[in-house]
Amino acid sequence: MKRKLTAAIGIAGMMVSIAACGGEGDGGSDKGADAKELTVWLTVDAQNNWPGLVKAADAAVKKKHPGLKINHEYYGWPDKNAKLDAVLATDKAPDVVEMGNTEMLGYMVKGAFAPLDQGTFDNSDAWLDGLKASVTYQGKTYGVPYYAGGRVANWRKDVAASAGLKTPPKTYKELTAALDKIQKKEGDKFSAWYQPTRDWYAAMSFVYDAGGAIATESGGQWKASLSSPESLKGLKEFKNVVDSYMHGDKTKDESDRYIVYGQGKSAMIFAAAWEGATAEDPKNDKTGKLKGNLENFVMPGPSGKNMPVFLGGSDLAVPVKSDAQALAAEWINAFTGSSGQKGLMAKGNLPNNKTDLATLKNDPKTAVPATAAESSWFVPMAPGWGQVEKAQILQTMLQSIGTGKKSVEAAAKEADAAIDKVINTK
C-alpha cells in the first residue's frame, strides 16, 4: 500500500455535539432502514482500480431496495479528512466513509462514528487481528475492515548469491548469518539491511516479537511499557540490526526507503509489500539490475516465529450523523463481503479476513504477503494515541537509540514518561 499511514489527529474542528451523539447502545442501528438515498465516500483507489466492485455493491443493495439512489464521492488521501471534519460539523454527513486504519481511533474517541453489529458482516469472526483492532474501541465495533497491506522482507538475489546464498532464510539465525556474509563482502559503505532508524513500524515489530508492547491497558487506563524487560529485549535487537547492517544516515525515516533501495547500496529491506516492486521501477532503479532480481520473503523473528507485522489498510465506517445507518451497513457488507473480497484479492490486495487469506497462501505470487499478514500487531487503542504519534515520541526514542545518543534503557524510559503524559487524554 503506497500511501503513508498516519493517525488522524486533526479533528478538533468537529462539533462537540458529535461526541454527545455517538457511542450509545450495544452496536447496530435500524435508523434509516427505509431511506431513499445513500451517500458513500471512498478514496480514489476504488475509483481507479476496482470501480466494478463498487457497482456490484450498488446493484446488490438496490435489488433489495428498489428506487434507492446511491451517490458516490471520491477523495485523495491528503485532503479526505479535512473535508470529512468540515462536513461532520454539519447535518450533511455521508452515510459511508473510507478511513485508513490508523485514522479510525481519533474519530472513534470523539464519537464521530456509529456503533455497528459486528456479527452482521461476512467473515467478521475471522477478521485479521490488526484490522479488527483498528475498528474496535472500548469493546464496541465502529467500522468494518475493507482490505489490508502488510510488510515483508525483500532482498537482492544477485547480492545474496554472490555471498553464496541461493534461497531466502527461514529463520532469524539464517538471516543474520546471511547478512553477516553480505556485509563482510560488500564493505562498510554498503547496508546489508537498509533499516531507517526512525521506522517505528519495523522497530515495534521487534518489540512485539519479544513479547513486549508500546503500552498496556488495565482497568480502563493505559500505561507505556517500552521499558519492560520484554520490550527492551526487542529494542536491543533492533539496535543490533541498525548497528550491524545499516550504514546510511541514522537520522532518517522510511519515507524514501524504496528510492534509497533503488540506488543499489543495500541488499535488503523490511518494508511495505509494494516497496520492492517500486524500487525496481525504471524510474527508481539507478542500477539497472533490480528488475526481476528482487525477492520478497516472510520476515523471520528472533523469537523463532514469523515476525509480527504492522498491517496497514482501510476500514469503512458510518458517521453517527448519518440518516441511513441501516442501509449504510448493508452497503458496507455488500462491498466488503465474500464476493467483494474475491474481487479485491484479484486486484492484488490482501483480504480483511483469515479465511480468504489462507487461500492466497497456496499461490506463489501471493504466498509471502499472505503468510506474513497472519501475525500482526496494531497501535494501542487508547484515547490519546493520536497525541503520541503527533509528538513523534517513538521516532525520537529510536533515533536516540540508533545514533547512540542514549542507551536503550534511558531512551525507553524517557519515551514511556512522554507517552504516559498523553495516552489517556481525549
Side-chain angles (χ1 to χ4, degrees):
M1 188 163 306
K2 193 165 184 175
R3 67 177 187 273
K4 184 176 182 180
L5 297 170
T6 55
I9 53 180
I11 56 175
M14 290 194 296
M15 292 177 64
V16 175
S17 62
I18 292 177
C21 293
E24 300 298 328
D26 293 327
S29 172
D30 59 2
K31 180 181 179 181
D34 57 352
K36 302 302 181 185
E37 193 167 340
L38 195 66
T39 297
V40 177
W41 282 20
L42 299 173
T43 68
V44 292
D45 297 335
Q47 183 181 32
N48 296 335
N49 300 318
W50 44 86
L53 301 183
V54 178
K55 292 180 180 178
D58 287 354
V61 176
K62 286 181 177 179
K63 185 176 181 180
K64 292 178 61 178
H65 303 276
L68 176 66
K69 180 181 180 182
I70 303 179
N71 307 304
H72 292 281
E73 296 183 29
Y74 296 93
Y75 295 95
W77 286 102
D79 59 354
K80 173 183 66 68
N81 287 358
K83 293 180 182 295
L84 178 60
D85 296 345
V87 78
L88 287 178
T90 73
D91 292 323
K92 298 185 182 297
D95 304 299
V96 177
V97 62
E98 178 180 351
M99 306 292 297
N101 63 344
T102 61
E103 297 173 339
M104 285 289 295
L105 181 57
Y107 289 84
M108 293 190 294
V109 169
K110 295 292 184 180
F113 296 146
L116 302 172
D117 182 355
Q118 178 183 327
T120 62
F121 297 96
D122 291 356
N123 292 310
S124 60
D125 59 342
W127 283 345
L128 298 180
D129 296 340
L131 295 187
K132 182 177 180 179
S134 74
V135 299
T136 306
Y137 182 64
Q138 295 185 338
K140 295 182 181 179
T141 301
Y142 290 94
V144 176
Y146 173 9
Y147 65 95
R151 281 165 168 72
V152 298
N154 180 286
W155 75 356
R156 288 181 55 174
K157 291 187 288 185
D158 59 342
V159 175
S162 69
L165 306 164
K166 297 182 179 180
T167 59
K170 299 295 185 182
T171 68
Y172 192 72
K173 184 177 181 179
E174 290 176 357
L175 172 63
T176 54
L179 292 174
D180 288 342
K181 290 181 180 179
I182 291 170
Q183 193 64 67
K184 183 177 180 179
K185 182 177 185 298
E186 297 294 335
D188 60 9
K189 292 185 178 180
F190 186 87
S191 294
W193 176 348
Y194 181 75
Q195 179 51 64
T197 307
R198 292 172 64 88
D199 176 12
W200 64 276
Y201 297 112
M204 293 305 105
S205 286
F206 280 88
V207 167
Y208 282 90
D209 179 71
I214 300 170
T216 58
E217 185 266 341
S218 178
Q221 290 292 300
W222 288 84
K223 185 170 180 56
S225 57
L226 291 167
S227 55
S228 72
E230 296 83 2
S231 294
L232 289 175
K233 181 179 180 182
L235 288 172
K236 287 178 180 178
E237 186 55 38
F238 180 75
K239 176 176 171 54
N240 182 54
V241 166
V242 172
D243 288 348
S244 300
Y245 310 121
M246 168 63 176
H247 297 287
D249 183 350
K250 293 185 180 180
T251 66
K252 287 178 67 73
D253 65 16
E254 72 279 9
S255 59
D256 65 346
R257 172 170 44 211
Y258 66 94
I259 295 175
V260 175
Y261 196 31
Q263 293 171 351
K265 296 181 180 180
S266 51
M268 174 188 147
I269 57 175
F270 173 40
W274 57 267
E275 291 188 52
T278 305
E280 71 176 20
D281 186 297
K283 293 181 294 186
N284 300 314
D285 179 10
K286 304 306 179 184
T287 71
K289 301 176 180 179
L290 299 186
K291 188 68 175 179
N293 193 32
L294 297 182
E295 184 175 20
N296 283 336
F297 59 94
V298 178
M299 180 69 186
S303 68
K305 301 178 181 179
N306 290 342
M307 184 78 87
V309 299
F310 176 83
L311 273 188
S314 278
D315 301 321
L316 297 175
V318 179
V320 74
K321 286 192 171 184
S322 165
D323 291 326
Q325 292 181 20
L327 279 180
E330 282 191 44
W331 190 91
I332 290 174
N333 194 42
F335 189 51
T336 64
S338 298
S339 60
Q341 291 302 309
K342 287 182 174 59
L344 287 166
M345 288 189 292
K347 294 294 184 178
N349 300 292
L350 292 179
N352 67 2
N353 67 90
K354 296 176 182 177
T355 303
D356 287 325
L357 190 70
T359 66
L360 297 183
K361 292 173 64 177
N362 298 322
D363 185 341
K365 294 179 181 179
T366 55
V368 168
T371 301
E374 287 184 313
S375 177
S376 62
W377 63 270
F378 198 64
V379 300
M381 296 303 285
W385 177 251
Q387 296 182 59
V388 175
E389 284 209 39
K390 182 179 181 181
Q392 297 194 357
I393 295 171
L394 297 180
Q395 292 95 321
T396 300
M397 174 190 71
L398 293 171
Q399 183 170 322
S400 294
I401 291 172
T403 58
K405 182 179 179 181
K406 294 178 180 175
S407 69
V408 173
E409 290 85 355
K413 185 176 181 180
E414 183 176 278
D416 277 351
I419 290 172
D420 284 340
K421 287 181 180 178
V422 298
I423 196 167
N424 291 298
T425 305
K426 290 187 178 182

